[in-house]
Amino acid sequence: MYPLLFRTVLSRMDPESAHHAAMRVIRVLGVPPFSWASRAVTKPAPELATTALGLRFDSPFGVAAGFDKDVKGAAGLYALGFGHVEVGTVTAIPQDGNPRPRLFRLIPDRAVVNRMGFNNHGAEAAADRLRSLRKRSRRAVLGVNIGKSRVVDVADATADYVRSATLLAPLADYLVVNVSSPNTPGLRGLQAVETLRPLLEAVREAAGVTPLLVKIAPDLPDDEIAAIARLAVDAGLAGIIATNTTISREGLVTDAATVAAAGDGGLSGAPLKARALEVLRLLRATVPADFCVISVGGVETAADVQERVDAGADLVQGYTAFLYRGPLWARQINRGLRAQR
């Protein structure tokens, strides 16, 4: 049913407008009694429960940051069967993001190009919604992804991140420092080890007991990825999320004119699968066994999720395939994982 809806209706809509329409439905699903009925149908089998970051997850499969930027759909996403929801990216200062259009489908590649630019209502608004969400007796594990406010100079990035962490860490089950989006000028430069160390140490102190992770780009050379991994361990972080979107356009089958028309931005979806798996294996070979690695990028099927788990991922996230698979995607993944066990 959903493939027909996608081909005939959704694929003809502006991608961002389609996302907002879907989010309205997801928000409704997060309200009782709809949430109770949905979760009853999508709830992961008990044997899929896993432990990471000192937390219990109903399933190793969750939603990556970017889907629910403003903590508006987390309850509905939990109702759809996801084991955790990473909200954000949230910035200390509210911002509109980049001008539209800023989201583009590459359908033949089952991929998306985005240059959203961290559009969100800011850390204070996110904190208010998180307080309300945490009052629920049943909810998803909540990760909060924080980024640099666009109006803040890179030289002042640490204070900006600390402000967000101070507001949001007490309300998060885990916190993520995003220094790897290609859509905020200068942000990826923060991944340099000499710059990253003081940033991570300051945010870790602000986060207190909340587990802290860092999210990295797939475009870094292997030696730099290994260096960041060692830094994260040395700085006392709880884990790494790999990977963010890529600026590469290699190997795409979509018409070159369509790709060019999409322009700059981060590419996500199936084309990222091979590199994300490579980075996962590199990280697992570098960090201790008890250091959490969350794998994201090119995940679409239960077999993809199981491959990441077998390669050493503690948790796995997806986003782009939601657009192509539809609202029962998490249920399909969870059922497929159960069948493989």
Side-chain angles (χ1 to χ4, degrees):
M1 184 67 180
Y2 181 81
L4 177 63
L5 176 65
F6 180 81
R7 288 197 306 270
T8 59
V9 179
L10 297 178
S11 65
R12 302 173 187 273
M13 293 177 64
D14 167 72
E16 188 169 349
S17 297
H19 174 81
H20 290 313
M23 185 60 80
R24 285 193 287 271
V25 175
I26 290 169
R27 291 179 70 179
V28 170
L29 291 176
V31 178
F34 304 110
S35 59
W36 304 334
S38 298
R39 187 67 179 181
V41 173
T42 65
K43 184 178 180 180
E47 55 264 38
L48 294 184
T50 188
T51 301
L53 301 170
L55 305 165
R56 183 187 182 279
F57 295 77
D58 289 343
S59 164
F61 184 59
V63 183
F67 194 95
D68 185 13
K69 295 178 182 295
D70 276 313
V71 203
K72 293 181 177 180
L77 292 166
Y78 173 71
L80 288 174
F82 291 96
H84 68 281
V85 178
E86 188 173 311
V87 299
T89 296
V90 178
T91 55
I93 301 171
Q95 55 190 44
D96 293 331
N98 292 320
R100 295 178 67 167
R102 53 194 179 181
L103 185 65
F104 307 86
R105 304 183 193 93
L106 305 184
I107 295 176
D109 288 291
R110 300 183 75 79
V112 164
V113 171
N114 95 81
R115 51 173 175 271
M116 303 299 289
F118 292 168
N119 54 306
N120 74 106
H121 290 101
E124 290 186 5
D128 288 341
R129 296 191 181 102
L130 284 166
R131 288 189 192 96
S132 177
L133 191 57
R134 289 181 65 89
K135 294 177 182 177
R136 289 178 172 242
S137 58
R138 296 181 180 179
R139 61 170 177 82
V141 173
L142 294 168
V144 179
N145 186 297
I146 60 174
K148 186 186 78 67
S149 303
R150 191 181 189 95
V151 297
V152 172
D153 190 89
V154 171
D156 300 317
T158 296
D160 188 62
Y161 277 97
V162 166
R163 180 181 171 189
S164 293
T166 301
L167 285 167
L168 298 172
L171 304 168
D173 292 314
Y174 69 87
L175 190 71
V176 183
V177 173
N178 184 351
V179 288
S180 51
S181 170
N183 300 318
T184 296
L187 186 72
R188 284 194 168 192
L190 295 174
Q191 293 177 112
V193 170
E194 62 273 13
T195 306
L196 189 57
R197 179 180 290 276
L199 170 61
L200 292 180
E201 289 177 344
V203 176
R204 186 202 62 205
E205 182 175 353
V209 298
T210 303
L212 181 65
L213 300 87
V214 61
K215 188 168 185 175
I216 63 172
D219 306 309
L220 293 169
D222 287 357
D223 60 340
E224 292 186 26
I225 290 173
I228 291 174
R230 290 189 291 268
L231 166 61
V233 173
D234 185 56
L237 270 64
I240 288 182
I241 300 181
T243 64
N244 211 317
T245 57
T246 179
I247 58 174
S248 172
R249 300 292 187 266
E250 292 183 7
L252 298 179
V253 299
T254 298
D255 178 74
T258 301
V259 176
D264 295 335
L267 175 76
S268 62
L272 196 53
K273 178 179 177 178
R275 180 56 179 164
L277 187 57
E278 286 179 357
V279 174
L280 167 61
R281 288 174 172 153
L282 172 60
L283 289 172
R284 188 41 76 197
T286 305
V287 300
D290 61 351
F291 191 79
C292 182
V293 179
I294 301 178
S295 184
V296 55
V299 173
E300 184 164 345
T301 67
D304 293 334
V305 176
Q306 189 62 54
E307 183 178 37
R308 303 297 172 92
V309 171
D310 292 343
D314 296 281
L315 299 167
V316 181
Q317 295 178 342
Y319 174 175
T320 302
F322 204 147
L323 283 67
Y324 296 105
R325 290 276 180 164
L328 294 180
W329 182 39
R331 179 174 179 262
Q332 294 165 0
I333 294 284
N334 289 327
R335 289 194 167 192
L337 290 174
R338 184 184 185 187
Q340 295 179 56
R341 298 193 176 188

